[in-house]
Amino acid sequence: MSHPSGSLPGRVRAGYALGSLVTGAFGTVPGLLLLPYLTDTLGVAAGLAGLLVLAPKAWDVLINPVAGRISDRTRTSMGARRPFLLFGGLALAVLFALIFAAPVRSGVYVALVFLAAATAFAFYQVPYVAMPAEMTDDYAERTRLMTWRVAFLALAILVSGALSPMVTKQFGDGIPGHRAMGVFVAILILIGTVGSFVGTRSAPTGRVLPSEPSFGAQLRVVRGNRPFRLLLVCFVVQAAGIGTMLAGVSYFATQILESPDTGATVLFACFVGPALLVMPIWTRVGRRVGKLRAYVLASVIFAVAAALLALAPFLPAVAVYVITGLVGGGYAGQQVFGLAMLPDCIAYDAERTGRRQAGVFTGLWTAGETLGLALGPGVFAVLLAVFGYVSSETGEAALQTGTAKLGVLLGFTVVPAVVVAVALFALRGYDLDERRLVEVNEGVPA
C-alpha cells in the first residue's frame, strides 16, 4: 500500500467528498422529519416519539466502535475501508426508503427499520471518516480535504434538507408524501455511495500498521490520547445542540414563522447556502489563526446567532433568515475544523504508538457524534412534552397553545446556543497544533 504524503489530486478530493451525500442525507433528514412524522402523521405522543428516535441512534454508540475495529483488521485488494463504503452504503439506501414505507401506522416499525439503517450507516460512516488520516500525512492537506468534504456536506444538507419537505408536500403529505421522500433520499444516498467508492479507487491507503490485539486494549490507547478525548467531548456535546436545533426546524417554521408550506425549506436554504460561500473564508482563517482558534470562533458565531433567533416573534421574516445564515456560517466552520482536527489526533496516536487503529478512533467519534445528534431530537421532544405540545394523525400540526409555542422557540434557539457555547470549555488544554505534531514525528517529548 502507498504511503500518503503531500497534496491529493482534485479527483480524489472530489471523490471522497461525494460520500457526504450519504452522511449528510442520513444525518439531516431523520433529524429534520422523523420526529414530526411520528407526532403529526402517525399520531405518536411527543415523549414516546422522542424515545423511538433516540433508541436506534443510541445503538450506534455500541456498533460504531465495532465497525471501526472490523475495518481496522480488514485486508483486501481495495484497501481496508473502501469495501465498507460500497456495501454499507447500498444497504443504507434500501433501508432508508423502508423507514418511511410503513405498511401500518406503527411507531415500532419505524424504530426497528431505523435501527437497521443506523447499523448499515455505521459500517459506511466509520471507515469513511477514518480514510483521511490514511490518505495524507500533510497537516494542511487534511484541512483542504475537509474543506471539500464539508462543502459537499453543505450541499447534501441543502439538497436533502430543503427538498425533502417539498417532495413530501408534492406527493400529498401524510404517509404517501413521506414514502416518496424516502425514495428520493435513498437515491441521494445511492449516488454518494457509488461516487465515493469509485472516486477513491486511486487514493493512497497509507501504512499498514499493527492494531492492538483486543478492543479493550484499543480503548485504553484512546483514553491515553488526551487531544482526542477533549475534542470528542466538545464535538459530541455540540452535536446534541445542533441536533436539537435541527429537530425544531419544521416546528419553528410552522408555529413561530407560521409558514408550514415553505418555511422549513427557506430556513434550510438560508442555513446551508451561506455555508457554501464561507468555506474558502474559513480555510484562510484556519491558516491564519490555526484550527483550534478557528473552531472556537465558528462555535461562538453559531451560539450568538442561534440565541438572537429567540427574537424571531418580534422580527421580520427576512431578518430571521439572515440570522439563520449566520448560524449556518458558524456551523460550516465547526464542521471543517472539527473534522480537520480529528485526523491530526489519529496521526498523533499512530506516531506515538506505531499502531494502526484509525477505525477505532473514528468509530468512537462517529458513535459520539451520532449519539449527540440523536439526543437533540430527544431533548426537543422532552421540551415539547413539558410545554404541552399536542400530537396529530392528520399529517398537519394541531393548533397549539402559547406555552407550547414557547417550548418550540426555546428548543430551536436558546437551548442549542447554550449547549454549543458550554461545550467549548472541554477544549481547554487541547494543544495539538502543527508544531506539536512535528515534535511527535521527531520524537521530542511533551
Side-chain angles (χ1 to χ4, degrees):
M1 295 185 181
S2 58
H3 180 81
S5 61
S7 298
L8 296 169
R11 65 180 181 277
V12 172
R13 293 178 193 159
Y16 178 76
L18 275 171
S20 291
L21 285 176
V22 180
T23 60
F26 190 74
T28 300
V29 177
L32 175 67
L33 295 180
L34 193 55
L35 186 63
Y37 173 63
L38 290 169
T39 59
D40 296 341
T41 296
L42 300 187
V44 179
L48 177 58
L51 179 61
L52 292 176
V53 172
L54 173 62
K57 286 288 190 176
W59 162 249
D60 279 354
V61 177
L62 301 176
I63 196 63
N64 280 24
V66 174
R69 187 174 181 226
I70 291 173
S71 71
D72 272 347
R73 302 167 78 92
T74 298
R75 301 289 185 272
T76 74
S77 60
M78 296 184 292
R81 317 294 179 186
R82 288 182 64 242
F84 293 94
L85 301 188
L86 181 62
F87 298 112
L90 292 177
L92 177 62
V94 174
L95 289 166
F96 189 93
L98 292 176
I99 292 174
F100 295 95
V104 293
R105 293 179 180 270
S106 171
V108 174
Y109 167 88
V110 172
L112 291 176
V113 181
F114 190 31
L115 174 67
T119 303
F121 182 62
F123 279 91
Y124 178 92
Q125 186 191 30
V126 174
Y128 176 73
V129 176
M131 292 175 71
E134 299 168 345
M135 290 165 64
T136 177
D137 285 336
D138 188 277
Y139 181 84
E141 178 61 23
R142 293 184 188 125
T143 299
R144 286 191 290 269
L145 183 59
M146 288 305 105
T147 300
W148 280 65
R149 179 190 164 188
V150 175
F152 274 67
L153 179 63
L155 181 62
I157 293 173
L158 177 62
V159 172
S160 62
L163 295 185
S164 291
M166 294 177 63
V167 171
T168 304
K169 292 186 179 299
Q170 183 66 31
F171 284 83
D173 277 322
I175 289 179
H178 283 89
R179 285 176 178 168
M181 179 274 298
V183 173
F184 165 71
V185 176
I187 292 172
L188 293 180
I189 292 173
L190 183 61
I191 293 172
T193 295
V194 175
S196 59
F197 177 75
V198 174
T200 56
R201 64 186 182 278
S202 61
T205 52
R207 293 170 291 177
V208 179
L209 302 175
S211 60
E212 294 288 354
S214 69
F215 186 59
Q218 291 176 333
L219 290 180
R220 285 192 292 273
V221 170
V222 169
R223 287 198 297 269
N225 190 326
R226 186 168 181 263
F228 175 79
R229 294 200 324 268
L230 298 177
L231 181 62
L232 177 65
V233 171
C234 178
F235 203 78
V236 169
V237 175
Q238 288 193 340
I242 293 166
T244 303
M245 195 172 201
L246 184 65
V249 170
S250 177
Y251 298 95
F252 183 80
T254 300
Q255 303 299 334
I256 306 301
L257 300 183
E258 298 182 349
S259 179
D261 294 331
T262 61
T265 298
V266 175
L267 278 173
F268 246 90
C270 292
F271 179 81
V272 181
L276 291 170
L277 300 177
V278 301
M279 300 307 299
I281 298 175
W282 280 125
T283 301
R284 289 194 292 271
V285 170
R287 284 199 299 263
R288 180 177 293 272
V289 305
K291 298 179 186 179
L292 176 60
R293 289 181 179 178
Y295 184 96
V296 172
L297 175 61
S299 299
V300 170
I301 291 174
F302 179 101
V304 171
L308 284 175
L309 284 175
L311 300 175
F314 312 104
L315 297 175
V318 65
V320 173
Y321 294 136
V322 169
I323 296 172
T324 302
L326 292 176
V327 175
Y331 170 76
Q334 289 175 285
Q335 292 298 302
V336 166
F337 297 111
L339 293 173
M341 292 158 72
L342 172 61
D344 294 341
C345 295
I346 295 172
Y348 167 76
D349 177 78
E351 295 295 339
R352 188 172 60 91
T353 66
R355 294 188 176 273
R356 173 186 182 271
Q357 42 212 356
V360 172
F361 283 96
T362 56
L364 290 173
W365 176 273
T366 55
E369 181 187 16
T370 302
L371 177 60
L373 290 173
L375 285 173
V379 170
F380 197 87
V382 169
L383 287 171
L384 292 182
V386 169
F387 282 82
Y389 187 87
V390 179
S391 297
S392 169
E393 294 184 354
T394 65
E396 296 181 0
L399 292 176
Q400 306 295 332
T401 64
T403 302
K405 291 182 179 182
L406 177 61
V408 170
L409 180 65
L410 294 176
F412 186 75
T413 60
V414 175
V415 172
V418 171
V419 172
V420 167
V422 169
L424 291 174
F425 287 99
L427 288 179
R428 290 178 300 175
Y430 183 95
D431 62 350
L432 195 57
D433 55 12
E434 187 171 11
R435 178 189 58 80
R436 180 70 189 122
L437 280 174
V438 171
E439 290 176 353
V440 173
N441 290 340
E442 295 176 350
V444 179

